[in-house]
Amino acid sequence: MIGREKILKLLDSVAKKSKANTTEILFMGSDSGLTRYANSCIHQNVAESDGKVTFRVSVDRKIGTVTTNILDEKSLLKSLESAIEIAGFSRPNKYFKGVAPKSKIKRIKTHFESTAVITPAGRAKIVGRICGKASRKGLNASGAFSTSETEIAFVNSNGVRLYQPLTSAVINMVIASDNSSGYSQGISRRIEKIDFDSLLDKAIGKCELSKDPVGVEPGKYDVFLEPAAVANLLEWLSFIGLGAVGYHEKTSFLSGKNKKRVMASSVNLYDDGLDSSGIAFPFDFEGVGKSKVHFVRNGLGGRPVYDLINGSKNKTKSTGHGMLFGSTGPIPLNLFMAPGKKPMDDIRKGIKKGILVTRFHYINGYLDTTRAVMTGMTRDGTFLVEDGKITKGVKNLRFTESITRAFSNILAVSKETELCDTWWSDIGCVSAPALLIKDFT
């Protein structure tokens, strides 16, 4: 960790020497460790320490960007000059109206010492406990356990100065026999909030329950999607349908559906980077404070998320969802599906005949984004449910389904939710309940 005062002083010094019309400087630094295990044995332990500075400058509305991980002032000034030179070769962006003004950013605690001080030996001790219990049951454990300490800083030529330290801990477990497997995962900024023993028992239970799986005929089934499976679908929705670019290009399932029915009335889907029950982060990569955005409220369509340029283009304000400079547009990183009122066990007990899905993988969400059609496979715990009881494991199945159609056929939403890891786990995650859906293909 470089620290707030030192990094902001460095970025300020560089920004003041910029000859561009506007200048933005983003710093992202991280010390991370990753312990991977397979066949009930740790096979890889890696550590990485890196810091990157990204410049975005404008000259007569022509934009240039450069990224470097050489952090002395002389090298940063050289990168700044390169960004200005690149801007000179760019076309003017008529929608670029300038950089973010100063604004009040909500203070959120996102750094916890208990996570920051975890060592490779500390991770190994936890993984050893997982592998040991699996081995004693004649099962194999595999997965990954990562911890990180991150700091993000941002300054611009309007005097915005932001700094946020972060910690995160993420684990996933796959427990396997010769013909079955079970999965569980956990994520938190505070490592002590992850109940590793409970997650292990869950994965082992699924593995043992799904031994000697049977095949079932393809068709439409009532499905009980556990939170991880729901999160897999929601993560894809964030890519294909919840950002301003797709919304205004009419490739999103929300396009033209403001306050119109898009899903069941039990669905409330929103993004809230200020909600500390998730993996909160208070501002975006353009220095704009995050706003809560409702995509679906009581089943009715809402608005997408915006960054500065797409907000200007569509005559609205940024919602605080600017991504890394040069990205394809804003997306939500702190996604929540609101819980329902029934416990998961009660929902499952009401299923006459259906399929329980632990999670999905190999999802492709680009088939028809206007209807959010996706295809993918079940994985690590697929079960037949009969008269409210899990009776046997089921061989993995492919699904191809419109998620707007499926989410219009929701019969129940669980009151329990889980935080589920994504590729952006330092600054967000997906909070999802379990869903019972009728006639899922």
Side-chain angles (χ1 to χ4, degrees):
M1 294 279 283
I2 297 174
R4 176 188 179 91
E5 296 308 317
K6 187 175 180 179
I7 191 61
L8 286 178
K9 181 180 178 180
L10 175 62
L11 300 186
D12 276 339
S13 176
V14 174
K16 289 174 181 177
K17 296 174 183 175
S18 175
K19 296 177 182 179
N21 297 142
T22 65
T23 303
E24 298 163 283
I25 310 177
L26 173 69
F27 168 78
M28 300 181 69
S30 182
D31 295 306
S32 61
L34 172 65
T35 301
R36 286 195 175 102
Y37 55 105
N39 296 318
S40 297
C41 181
I42 292 174
H43 68 90
Q44 185 182 49
N45 186 76
V46 296
E48 180 180 7
S49 181
D50 196 12
K52 294 180 180 180
V53 172
T54 299
F55 296 88
R56 182 169 72 170
V57 302
S58 72
V59 180
D60 299 328
R61 293 192 176 181
K62 295 184 289 184
I63 297 172
T65 64
V66 165
T67 297
T68 180
N69 66 349
I70 306 176
L71 303 183
D72 63 273
E73 185 169 346
K74 182 179 178 180
S75 298
L76 292 178
L77 287 170
K78 185 176 180 180
S79 294
L80 173 61
E81 291 172 3
S82 295
I84 294 172
E85 183 179 3
I86 289 169
F89 291 102
S90 303
R91 293 180 179 179
N93 187 326
K94 64 180 180 179
Y95 300 114
F96 182 77
K97 304 297 185 182
V99 298
K102 281 186 177 181
S103 62
K104 188 174 182 179
I105 305 295
K106 184 177 179 180
R107 294 176 66 89
I108 299 175
K109 183 172 176 57
T110 54
H111 182 279
F112 295 90
E113 192 66 16
S114 56
T115 307
V117 299
I118 191 73
T119 63
R123 289 196 306 274
K125 184 177 180 180
I126 292 170
V127 171
R129 208 161 69 228
I130 293 167
C131 294
K133 187 168 185 177
S135 295
R136 288 191 294 274
K137 289 182 172 290
L139 304 171
N140 283 320
S142 62
F145 180 21
S146 64
T147 54
S148 65
E149 185 179 29
T150 302
E151 51 188 341
I152 296 176
F154 178 88
V155 303
N156 72 16
S157 48
N158 275 346
V160 173
R161 298 173 80 255
L162 301 171
Y163 175 85
Q164 193 76 24
L166 317 166
T167 52
S168 66
V170 182
I171 191 164
N172 61 66
M173 309 177 193
V174 177
I175 306 299
S177 71
D178 290 340
N179 60 13
S180 67
S181 59
Y183 173 80
S184 64
Q185 60 86 46
I187 178 173
S188 180
R189 292 209 182 279
R190 301 175 64 181
I191 195 168
E192 68 271 19
K193 293 290 186 179
I194 299 177
D195 189 339
F196 296 97
D197 292 326
S198 177
L199 293 175
L200 176 58
D201 289 342
K202 178 181 177 181
I204 288 174
K206 284 180 176 288
C207 176
E208 292 180 332
L209 197 57
S210 60
K211 284 183 178 180
D212 304 318
V214 299
V216 299
E217 289 298 315
K220 294 185 182 297
Y221 289 87
D222 290 352
V223 296
F224 184 78
L225 302 183
E226 291 195 342
V230 176
N232 296 148
L233 302 178
L234 295 181
E235 183 175 357
W236 263 96
L237 281 185
S238 72
F239 297 148
I240 65 172
L242 305 182
V245 175
Y247 182 87
H248 291 285
E249 291 181 349
K250 302 189 185 306
T251 62
S252 165
F253 69 93
L254 288 177
S255 300
K257 299 292 180 63
N258 188 39
K259 296 185 179 179
K260 294 181 181 179
R261 177 70 56 194
V262 292
M263 295 175 182
S265 60
S266 56
V267 176
N268 288 279
L269 183 63
Y270 61 93
D271 183 86
D272 189 358
L274 303 180
D275 187 342
S276 291
S277 68
I279 302 296
F281 188 74
F283 55 87
D284 70 1
F285 295 136
E286 296 180 314
V288 179
K290 288 186 174 289
S291 300
K292 186 175 182 178
V293 179
H294 291 270
F295 309 113
V296 181
R297 183 178 284 179
N298 299 325
L300 304 181
R303 64 184 303 211
V305 294
Y306 291 89
D307 56 13
L308 288 171
I309 288 178
N310 282 283
S312 169
K313 184 176 181 179
N314 296 288
K315 297 180 173 58
T316 190
K317 293 181 179 180
S318 169
T319 57
H321 292 83
M323 295 294 290
L324 288 172
F325 305 146
S327 70
T328 56
I331 60 172
L333 302 180
N334 306 90
L335 201 57
F336 290 79
M337 178 177 272
K341 297 180 179 179
K342 294 186 69 174
M344 277 197 272
D345 285 346
D346 289 354
I347 294 173
R348 193 194 68 234
K349 288 175 183 177
I351 302 172
K352 186 175 181 180
K353 185 176 181 179
I355 292 175
L356 184 150
V357 178
T358 297
R359 67 164 174 156
F360 294 118
H361 75 132
Y362 286 149
I363 295 176
N364 179 353
Y366 292 121
L367 279 66
D368 179 356
T369 57
T370 62
R371 297 188 299 125
V373 177
M374 301 181 192
T375 189
M377 298 291 295
T378 65
R379 186 176 187 177
D380 299 324
T382 308
F383 301 94
L384 188 64
V385 180
E386 298 174 293
D387 295 323
K389 295 181 179 180
I390 295 175
T391 55
K392 57 194 73 175
V394 170
K395 292 180 181 179
N396 286 313
L397 298 162
R398 173 170 292 280
F399 77 92
T400 303
E401 182 62 274
S402 160
I403 303 308
T404 54
R405 175 189 176 278
F407 283 13
S408 295
N409 289 337
I410 291 175
L411 300 175
V413 180
S414 73
K415 72 175 186 178
E416 303 97 334
T417 61
E418 292 180 13
L419 299 185
C420 299
D421 179 33
T422 63
W423 60 267
W424 56 80
S425 59
D426 278 347
I427 55 175
C429 70
V430 177
S431 175
L435 301 176
L436 176 60
I437 299 175
K438 181 180 180 181
D439 293 339
F440 192 91
T441 307

